[in-house]
């Protein structure tokens, strides 16, 4: 699969024109990036109340920090806006559901849209939200680069080969290498639908510049710093199921 370009920026152009002829058929992904502060500043005050469903509005209201509620609201407004444009629906009419959990079979797996083969995923960190849409299961993750002290602590949860690769690097190179590895890993686990309930040490995705596939899952690093002002200091990745669902 050819690596995708930098994500298109949500809010930069009218959505009907932006997604025309862009239905991601055949598993080819489309990625979008949202800057929370800019998107929120341009949002009509009453828009969340008209667009989000009752559960989303309730969750947004429960955040203790205003910026967390703002990020959640912007992410879900953006997701509904994009899905509505892809599916030809009003954002408020997007029929969300949940796939079965891969662990227990309960109705709390990956979010999905009823009655369509379109798969999607989103991730947010700091002031950014990353979205991916594809014709096969997909996962994405975006993270802020962390200081070496945090990297060294969290790296203990990685695959042994990944830990060894990080240990061989200088302190200056370690945060970017860790961020590449962690975003690939989280994207893969989100694509599976397990999240971090699956041990991140099980699968090797690599810390180098070239992502390592996991079975039928293709890993791709997403250049968010090229896609939007304010993207510097972040790393992002996408995992796309390319063939058999068995991993």
């Amino acid at each position: 699969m050819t690596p995708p370009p930098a994500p298109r920026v949500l809010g930069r152009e009218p959505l009907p024109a932006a997604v025309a002829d862009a239905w991601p058929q055949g598993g080819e992904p489309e990625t979008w990036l949202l800057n929370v502060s800019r998107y929120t500043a341009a949002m009509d005050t009453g828009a969340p109340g008209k667009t989000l469903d009752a559960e989303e509005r309730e969750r947004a209201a429960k955040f203790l920090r205003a910026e967390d509620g703002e990020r959640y609201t912007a992410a879900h407004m953006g997701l509904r806006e994009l899905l509505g444009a892809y599916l030809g629906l009003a954002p408020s009419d997007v029929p969300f559901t949940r796939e079965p959990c891969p662990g227990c079979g309960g109705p709390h797996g990956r979010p999905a849209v009823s009655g369509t083969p379109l798969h999607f995923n989103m991730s947010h960190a700091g002031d950014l939200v990353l979205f991916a849409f594809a014709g096969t299961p997909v996962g994405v993750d975006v993270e802020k680069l962390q200081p070496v002290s945090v990297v060294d602590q969290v790296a203990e949860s990685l695959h042994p080969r990944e830990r060894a690769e990080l240990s061989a690097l200088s302190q200056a190179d370690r945060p970017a290498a860790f961020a590449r590895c962690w975003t690939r890993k989280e994207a893969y686990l989100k694509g599976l639908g397990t999240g971090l309930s699956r041990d991140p040490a099980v699968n090797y995705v690599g810390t180098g510049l070239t992502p390592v596939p996991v079975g039928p899952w293709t890993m791709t690093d997403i250049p968010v710093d090229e896609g939007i002002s304010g993207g510097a200091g972040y790393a992002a990745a996408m995992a796309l199921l390319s063939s058999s669902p068995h991993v």
Side-chain angles (χ1 to χ4, degrees):
M1 183 185 70
T2 302
R8 285 180 288 180
V9 179
L10 182 58
R12 179 172 290 174
E13 54 192 346
L15 268 180
V19 301
D21 302 319
W23 173 263
Q25 297 287 354
E28 290 301 315
E30 298 281 346
T31 54
W32 293 79
L33 201 61
L34 178 152
N35 180 291
V36 173
S37 55
R38 294 182 181 182
Y39 184 82
T40 302
M43 186 190 304
D44 292 338
T45 304
K50 298 175 183 177
T51 304
L52 301 182
D53 64 23
E55 181 180 352
E56 289 169 321
R57 295 195 300 271
E58 183 179 355
R59 287 193 63 183
K62 286 184 176 179
F63 287 100
L64 297 178
R65 299 193 309 169
E67 57 265 37
D68 293 334
E70 182 180 90
R71 186 184 302 113
Y72 176 91
T73 298
H76 284 255
M77 287 285 293
L79 178 62
R80 283 183 171 275
E81 190 176 352
L82 286 165
L83 282 170
Y86 275 120
L87 301 173
L89 298 171
S92 58
D93 292 337
V94 174
F96 284 113
T97 185
R98 286 278 184 174
E99 295 180 355
C101 171
C104 69
H108 48 262
R110 284 181 309 202
V113 177
S114 301
T116 174
L118 179 63
H119 295 265
F120 65 91
N121 201 242
M122 74 173 175
S123 174
H124 47 75
D127 207 33
L128 299 185
V129 184
L130 177 65
F131 305 93
F133 303 86
T136 59
V138 63
V140 288
D141 188 53
V142 60
E143 301 282 349
K144 297 181 74 172
L145 270 62
Q146 298 297 320
V148 173
S149 58
V150 174
V151 169
D152 289 345
Q153 181 178 2
V154 182
E156 294 301 313
S157 64
L158 299 179
H159 188 279
R161 287 175 61 191
E162 295 161 349
R163 296 201 302 267
E165 291 170 3
L166 290 174
S167 296
L169 296 175
S170 68
Q171 286 196 350
D173 292 334
R174 215 172 293 162
F178 171 80
R180 287 192 295 266
C181 179
W182 189 258
T183 53
R184 295 167 190 168
K185 199 171 291 281
E186 276 232 49
Y188 167 63
L189 297 176
K190 290 176 67 180
L192 287 179
T194 65
L196 290 173
S197 64
R198 180 183 173 106
D199 186 353
V202 171
N203 298 106
Y204 173 77
V205 297
T207 65
L209 296 176
T210 302
V212 177
V214 180
W217 289 83
T218 302
M219 307 294 159
T220 305
D221 294 334
I222 303 294
V224 294
D225 56 333
E226 300 174 18
I228 191 170
S229 174
Y234 290 81
M238 176 178 64
L240 183 72
L241 182 63
S242 55
S243 57
S244 168
H246 301 294
V247 181

